[in-house]
Amino acid sequence: MDAHLVEVTRGGRVESSHMGSAVVVDADGVILFRAGDIEAPVFTRSAVKALLALPLVETGAADRLGLSDAELALACASHVGEPVHARTAASMLRKAGQDPDCLECGIHWPTSRAGQRALFEAGQEPSALHNNCSGKHAGFVCLACDNGDTLLGYVRPEHAVMRQVTEAAAHMTGARMDENNRAIDGCSIPTYAIPLRALALGFARFGSGTGQHPDRAEAATRLRRAVAANPVLVAGEGRFDTRLMQAFGLSVFSKMGAEGIHVVSLPEQGLGIAVKCADGAARAAEVAIAALVARHVDATPAQHAVLDACMRPVLRNWNGIEVGALRPTSGFVHGKRT
């Protein structure tokens, strides 16, 4: 059963609310906090991009191709199509001897106004480089080229690269990922429905290295460092994940996914956090994630200020007048520890 996670106020009254589930676990799978049904399968969507990037690093492909930290960060990204995102994805492809035509993620306009304006002013149309998943796909292309695999159809579940990255995510989460719980993601790769608890476990392990081969643990550390050094590449200017990681650096890894899924790794505490908003609202998942991070980290006053702003974002109308806010419910903030 879903829990009441977040409410939306207007004029001092609760106007609407968001239901969902949330869990905090350590790297041994011990549950420290739970709300809602944490065993119900949920599609991981883009929340698992960092887990899918592990083989790119642990196999040595990233080093052999000379990928930079910025490029590794983009391999974990759901970006907004700003010029820096497109340039970085193109650079990854060049290092693999490829061009944007090989990407199988699809084409859409940048979701950032800056990205849209840059294309419009240049008189250009968007390419696959502007797809929010272009960094992840460029990483797949790099891995395939390093492996000597064919590129055509790399998004299909039977392709060698997709089997390789799926194995990594399944191992990290301890969850089954096969044809019985598989669907197609927005960027055409497979996505798998797994328990929210397992998703959180994967990110507890991602941050702590517990139970992982040394090469995989080192790969996770390298990806976290790359992301911490380049948070704008992982999301975009002003976005939730960027703001959180700019404030906390290596202490917090945060990654959203479509339809209200969100994960966090807290390496210093050895914890993983996962939230699923039942109605798919990213705004509510962000509030819930910020509340759980605030509950489990020792933050400086400046970091507390960032968390508080993320926990209680103000709503304004088109005239800039403050009309309400989002906030975690009192039951969620003071909810069940196990």
Side-chain angles (χ1 to χ4, degrees):
M1 181 177 180
D2 289 328
H4 190 190
L5 301 182
V6 175
E7 54 195 17
V8 186
T9 65
R10 184 180 296 266
R13 297 175 180 270
V14 175
E15 183 177 30
S16 60
S17 61
H18 297 278
M19 309 291 287
S21 51
V23 62
V24 181
V25 304
D26 69 16
D28 293 318
V30 176
I31 298 170
L32 281 72
F33 175 94
R34 65 190 300 165
D37 186 354
I38 63 172
E39 298 298 336
V42 296
F43 285 111
T44 58
R45 303 299 297 271
S46 289
V48 293
K49 284 182 177 177
L51 305 186
L52 301 179
L54 286 168
L56 178 64
V57 178
E58 69 187 10
T59 61
D63 286 335
R64 286 188 288 272
L65 292 172
L67 298 184
S68 66
D69 280 355
E71 289 161 344
L72 290 178
L74 196 76
C76 303
S78 293
H79 63 74
V80 292
E82 293 164 354
V84 66
H85 299 128
R87 287 197 305 270
T88 305
S91 174
M92 295 171 71
L93 294 174
R94 282 196 301 272
K95 289 179 179 180
Q98 303 297 325
D99 62 41
D101 289 341
C102 73
L103 294 178
E104 298 182 5
C105 53
I107 298 172
H108 63 70
W109 278 89
T111 54
S112 80
R113 291 184 179 179
Q116 294 168 6
R117 188 180 306 114
L119 279 179
F120 182 78
E121 291 176 351
Q124 298 175 349
E125 292 291 318
S127 73
L129 295 174
H130 300 96
N131 185 296
N132 70 303
C133 294
S134 67
K136 175 182 70 177
H137 280 251
F140 295 154
V141 168
C142 286
L143 183 58
C145 289
D146 186 75
N147 287 345
D149 298 324
T150 180
L151 288 183
L152 185 63
Y154 70 82
V155 297
R156 297 173 184 162
E158 65 273 13
H159 191 280
V161 162
M162 210 49 54
R163 293 200 309 268
Q164 194 173 4
V165 300
T166 300
E167 182 280 330
H171 182 264
M172 293 293 285
T173 61
R176 185 190 81 249
M177 294 185 180
D178 58 29
E179 66 278 5
N180 295 306
N181 62 338
R182 185 169 64 217
I184 301 174
D185 210 337
C187 66
S188 296
I189 72 163
T191 185
Y192 296 87
I194 67 173
L196 195 69
R197 171 195 50 77
L199 183 58
L201 175 63
F203 282 89
R205 291 172 171 173
F206 181 74
S208 68
T210 299
Q212 305 306 306
H213 186 279
D215 289 345
R216 179 156 289 176
E218 176 55 33
T221 298
R222 185 171 173 188
L223 288 171
R224 288 190 289 102
R225 287 174 178 162
V227 165
N230 301 276
V232 171
L233 285 173
V234 179
E237 291 288 354
R239 294 189 72 195
F240 177 89
D241 287 335
T242 297
R243 293 163 61 199
L244 206 58
M245 293 190 288
Q246 284 175 332
F248 284 91
L250 281 167
S251 298
V252 174
F253 172 89
S254 178
K255 184 67 187 70
M256 59 75 67
E259 297 299 331
I261 196 85
H262 212 122
V263 298
V264 158
S265 176
L266 302 179
E268 294 168 5
Q269 293 79 13
L271 301 179
I273 302 173
V275 166
K276 168 65 177 179
C277 188
D279 64 0
R283 68 176 189 174
E286 291 171 357
V287 169
I289 281 286
L292 289 174
V293 171
R295 183 169 180 160
H296 290 92
V297 301
D298 294 321
T300 66
Q303 290 168 337
H304 269 302
V306 172
L307 285 173
D308 192 60
C310 291
M311 285 171 60
R312 297 173 177 83
V314 170
L315 299 176
R316 299 182 183 276
N317 68 12
W318 291 108
N319 284 322
I321 300 169
E322 182 176 335
V323 296
L326 278 77
R327 66 190 183 195
T329 65
S330 59
F332 178 61
V333 171
H334 305 293
K336 185 176 181 182
R337 285 183 181 267
T338 57

